[in-house]
């Protein structure tokens, strides 16, 4: 990471922490992320969920999720089939332009599987969401998800920071 990127990242983090508003890198995916959080896990637990409200400024599809805390990141859907709640991985989740799509417990959500270590309450998890636009071009949005045992109360804003790249090229690492 160059000195310029470190300084920029520190400045973005400082602004995000003082305002409590999700900040976007200038070339971020055209997506607003709000209310992001991940569920705490206990030793021996192999999977947990991540949740966020996404509003795209153009038609996009959420096509992937990556996190260093788990070997596998997937997009999951939960829905009732008869009397049974079923959960399954899906390849993509459409994000219509200007409509908020909520990834929440009991509905669409991010799934982190084969956890490398328990997610502890009060920590943060780095998550990268991968989107594709109508031309098939990929973009990434980097988020810091605060870890909670239960959903944060409405109106309590976690300090989530967005940092995305408008192309499929990944800078830095």
């Amino acid at each position: 990471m160059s000195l310029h990127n470190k300084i920029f990242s520190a400045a973005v983090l400082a602004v995000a922490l003082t305002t409590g508003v999700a900040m976007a890198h200038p070339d971020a995916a055209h997506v607003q992320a709000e209310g992001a959080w991940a569920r705490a896990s206990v030793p021996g637990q192999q999977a947990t969920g991540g949740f966020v409200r996404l509003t795209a400024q153009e038609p996009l599809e959420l096509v992937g999720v990556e996190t260093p805390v788990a070997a596998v990141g997937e997009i999951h859907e939960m829905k009732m089939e008869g009397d049974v709640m079923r959960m399954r991985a899906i390849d993509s989740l459409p994000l219509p332009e200007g409509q908020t799509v909520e990834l929440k417990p009991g509905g669409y959500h991010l799934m982190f599987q084969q956890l490398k270590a328990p997610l502890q309450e009060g920590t943060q998890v780095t998550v990268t969401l991968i989107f594709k636009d109508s031309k098939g071009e990929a973009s990434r949005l980097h988020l810091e998800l605060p870890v909670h045992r239960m959903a944060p109360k409405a109106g309590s804003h976690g300090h989530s920071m967005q940092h995305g790249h408008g192309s499929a090229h990944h800078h830095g690492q």
Side-chain angles (χ1 to χ4, degrees):
M1 184 183 255
S2 71
L3 181 60
H4 170 77
N5 284 349
K6 285 182 182 172
I7 292 170
F8 179 81
S9 295
V12 169
L13 181 61
V15 172
L17 292 176
T18 54
T19 62
V21 174
M23 299 295 298
H25 190 278
D27 61 352
H30 299 289
V31 178
Q32 183 177 3
E34 298 177 301
W37 66 285
R39 190 179 302 282
S41 65
V42 297
Q45 187 175 332
Q46 289 296 301
T48 193
F51 312 97
V52 62
R53 290 187 304 278
L54 298 172
T55 308
Q57 309 309 313
E58 61 179 283
L60 293 173
E61 284 187 88
L62 175 62
V63 296
V65 56
E66 299 170 346
T67 179
V69 302
V72 178
E74 293 179 333
I75 308 155
H76 277 209
E77 117 178 291
M78 288 184 83
K79 65 180 183 180
M80 292 298 291
E81 290 183 5
D83 295 338
V84 181
M85 178 68 83
R86 301 238 184 244
M87 182 171 72
R88 68 181 182 102
I90 56 175
D91 292 331
S92 65
L93 177 62
L95 302 175
E97 180 179 352
Q99 293 181 29
T100 300
V101 176
E102 187 169 9
L103 283 74
K104 62 185 180 182
Y108 293 110
H109 59 279
L110 307 174
M111 195 74 191
F112 311 132
Q113 299 186 93
Q114 299 173 35
L115 293 173
K116 296 174 183 175
L119 302 191
Q120 296 180 325
E121 173 99 21
T123 62
Q124 291 202 330
V125 175
T126 300
V127 173
T128 301
L129 301 181
I130 304 163
F131 303 92
K132 282 206 175 147
D133 66 14
S134 57
K135 298 178 196 137
E137 291 185 17
S139 59
R140 285 173 158 75
L141 183 65
H142 303 291
L143 299 173
E144 292 293 327
L145 276 57
V147 177
H148 300 288
R149 281 195 295 275
M150 297 179 4
K153 291 180 178 50
S156 71
H157 297 289
H159 296 300
S160 86
M161 183 177 87
Q162 302 181 54
H163 175 197
H165 300 287
S167 72
H169 305 294
H170 196 68
H171 306 291
Q173 292 142 336

